[in-house]
Amino acid sequence: ADPLTIDLTGYDGVVVSPGVPLNTHPIKPHAEKYGVPVIGDIELFALARADLPPHKVVGITGTNGKSTTTALVHHILQTAGMPSLMGGNIGLPIMAQDPLPDGGVYVLELSSYQIDLTFSLDCDVAVLLNITPDHLDRYDGSFEKYAASKVRLFQMQSKGQYAVITIDNPITADISEQMKTNGWWNLFEVETSDYNGECDGPALAGPHNAQNVAFARIAVASLDFDGIDVNGALRTFTGLPHRMEVVCEEDGVLFINDSKATNPDSTAPALAAYPPEEGRPRIHWIVGGLPKEDGLGPCEQHLANIAAAYTVGEAGPRFAELLEGRIPNVERCELVSEAVSRARSAAQAGDVVLFSPACASFDQFRDYEKRGEHFRQLVDVIADSADCERAPIIDGGKA
């Protein structure tokens, strides 16, 4: 039956996918006519917690970095032998997984879409990594509404729980000040610029990963478990597919799949991770797709690291206009296959072919995973004789 025609009298709630746009979909006003909440699977989990064995929940949100930070916390706990599950906006849905035994930790990546559908998730540790403009179509173009969605993760917490927040930009710094004014408890402020050093782990290159590690360390420490070897766990972390994923090294050229970078804020750390060597820029940047915004954003700060750009997709011509005359070479390619071929031909030993589109995938691909898999396959074809170390596949979230 069409849910929009059902009499919802007596229903406890309507459960929808996070992909349903509440600001435009008719299901929300229909449910409101009957006083019925529209919720998601995270709220179902929150409602079920009282019937689960004693456990803790770490909730992690932010515009960028939340998948890696979630996977890091989960990996650290697993390496220490702690029962842990990873879910939410990454991997299997949390309601599709078996409950943890006594003392377990649920580590949840939470998109703003999921938080919008959640009302009673009382996280033992709630983490806000950053807030930059994204998904604004879901918030009627309002950055303030988008930011308020993220903050609700803290507002659902009860007294005595831990909050971890970055304060290195005005938006999050203001949020932190408001929390302190309101008498917030157990608040950890993180100045992420203090964490720009190298990380002890092959999959954790770049200052953005140093920041992710800093948040993961604080989140784990807030759980108050003894005997966890965080440094040892970091050395064995293999990273996430499609996020700074080392696909292959052939003849000294590193091929990096960063398809998960769907906006300039997410791409900028990837560009920062490979500075020039002996004054020579070494990044061959494959960029473009369906644009979320006009301009290079924070990528502007790292143009000196780029030897050449290969523009693709709907945003390709605009990126070419923005980059021509500012970096040594720009090639308009349209298709990813052409860009990979040209980059591979031009790259020298020590260079990096970086697929970090800074755009959504929907102009040519179903999602960023399919786009990343396509890049992997292209690299496999041109480097099938190379002895490549490949990252294990871990399913990632899409929102």
Side-chain angles (χ1 to χ4, degrees):
D2 183 348
L4 296 175
T5 64
I6 295 175
D7 184 335
L8 298 176
T9 303
Y11 278 64
D12 293 319
V14 177
V15 183
V16 301
S17 161
V20 174
L22 296 183
N23 61 326
T24 58
H25 199 282
I27 189 61
K28 190 170 188 289
H30 180 66
E32 287 174 343
K33 285 194 304 184
Y34 299 91
V36 173
V38 179
I39 65 174
D41 66 320
I42 299 299
E43 178 63 10
L44 288 178
F45 167 74
L47 294 171
R49 290 184 65 190
D51 297 320
L52 297 175
H55 62 275
K56 293 185 177 182
V57 172
V58 178
I60 298 169
T61 194
T63 306
N64 296 305
K66 56 186 180 291
S67 292
T68 298
T69 304
T70 301
L72 269 171
V73 172
H74 175 61
H75 176 74
I76 292 167
L77 295 172
Q78 291 260 294
T79 303
M82 303 293 299
S84 172
L85 281 181
M86 179 172 65
N89 199 47
I90 187 170
L92 290 172
I94 196 64
M95 296 299 288
Q97 304 186 58
D98 293 332
L100 289 168
D102 191 345
V105 181
Y106 296 89
V107 187
L108 304 179
E109 176 191 342
L110 299 170
S111 70
S112 60
Y113 300 174
Q114 290 169 311
I115 296 173
D116 290 341
L117 296 167
T118 306
F119 304 95
S120 57
L121 182 67
D122 183 5
C123 293
D124 297 86
V125 183
V127 179
L128 175 58
L129 301 170
N130 47 61
I131 305 178
T132 56
D134 203 9
H135 305 302
L136 297 190
D137 57 321
R138 285 285 290 263
Y139 298 94
D140 304 318
S142 170
F143 178 55
E144 290 75 18
K145 289 182 180 179
Y146 171 65
S149 173
K150 299 288 190 185
V151 174
R152 285 192 58 251
L153 186 61
F154 297 131
Q155 294 170 342
M156 288 185 281
Q157 287 186 289
S158 59
K159 189 171 183 178
Q161 310 294 47
Y162 289 87
V164 186
I165 184 171
T166 181
I167 56 168
D168 62 345
N169 69 70
I171 298 296
T172 52
D174 184 58
I175 291 167
S176 184
E177 284 302 315
Q178 291 180 37
M179 291 170 70
K180 287 188 289 187
T181 300
N182 293 331
W184 206 261
W185 55 93
N186 296 341
L187 175 64
F188 290 91
E189 295 179 320
V190 182
E191 180 66 60
T192 55
S193 61
D194 293 340
Y195 296 92
N196 287 343
E198 291 298 319
C199 295
D200 191 6
L204 295 168
H208 65 300
N209 274 322
Q211 296 165 11
N212 295 335
V213 167
F215 280 101
R217 285 183 184 276
I218 294 171
V220 170
S222 300
L223 293 169
D224 198 25
F225 294 136
D226 295 328
I228 294 182
D229 180 10
V230 174
N231 291 333
L234 295 177
R235 286 191 289 271
T236 60
F237 182 69
T238 56
L240 291 172
H242 315 299
R243 188 61 178 131
M244 296 290 286
E245 174 191 10
V246 178
V247 179
C248 185
E249 182 174 350
E250 185 201 22
D251 295 334
V253 177
L254 202 59
F255 290 82
I256 302 293
N257 170 22
D258 195 39
S259 181
K260 198 174 190 301
T262 59
N263 57 50
D265 286 282
S266 190
T267 287
L271 294 174
Y274 303 100
E277 289 187 352
E278 299 180 354
R280 184 176 68 86
R282 56 198 183 104
I283 295 176
H284 293 257
W285 182 25
I286 301 174
V287 58
L290 187 67
K292 288 186 174 181
E293 57 190 86
D294 185 35
L296 297 171
C299 295
E300 294 257 10
Q301 303 166 32
H302 309 295
L303 298 186
N305 298 354
I306 303 169
Y310 308 83
T311 63
V312 300
E314 183 177 313
R318 178 57 178 155
F319 275 109
E321 291 173 2
L322 292 167
L323 293 169
E324 283 169 346
R326 305 184 66 190
I327 62 174
N329 188 32
V330 176
E331 300 196 24
R332 301 181 184 227
C333 299
E334 188 174 348
L335 297 178
V336 175
S337 56
E338 182 183 359
V340 171
S341 178
R342 291 195 193 184
R344 190 239 185 177
S345 297
Q348 308 172 37
D351 286 356
V352 178
V353 175
L354 175 65
F355 182 50
S356 189
C359 291
S361 60
F362 308 125
D363 59 335
Q364 295 183 350
F365 301 93
R366 186 183 73 194
D367 50 44
Y368 75 76
E369 285 107 329
K370 286 297 180 187
R371 179 171 66 181
E373 289 165 10
H374 180 62
F375 176 76
R376 279 200 206 113
Q377 291 165 358
L378 292 168
V379 173
D380 286 344
V381 169
I382 65 174
D384 57 2
S385 62
D387 182 14
C388 298
E389 295 255 345
R390 305 190 187 280
I393 303 303
I394 306 171
D395 290 337
K398 299 180 181 61

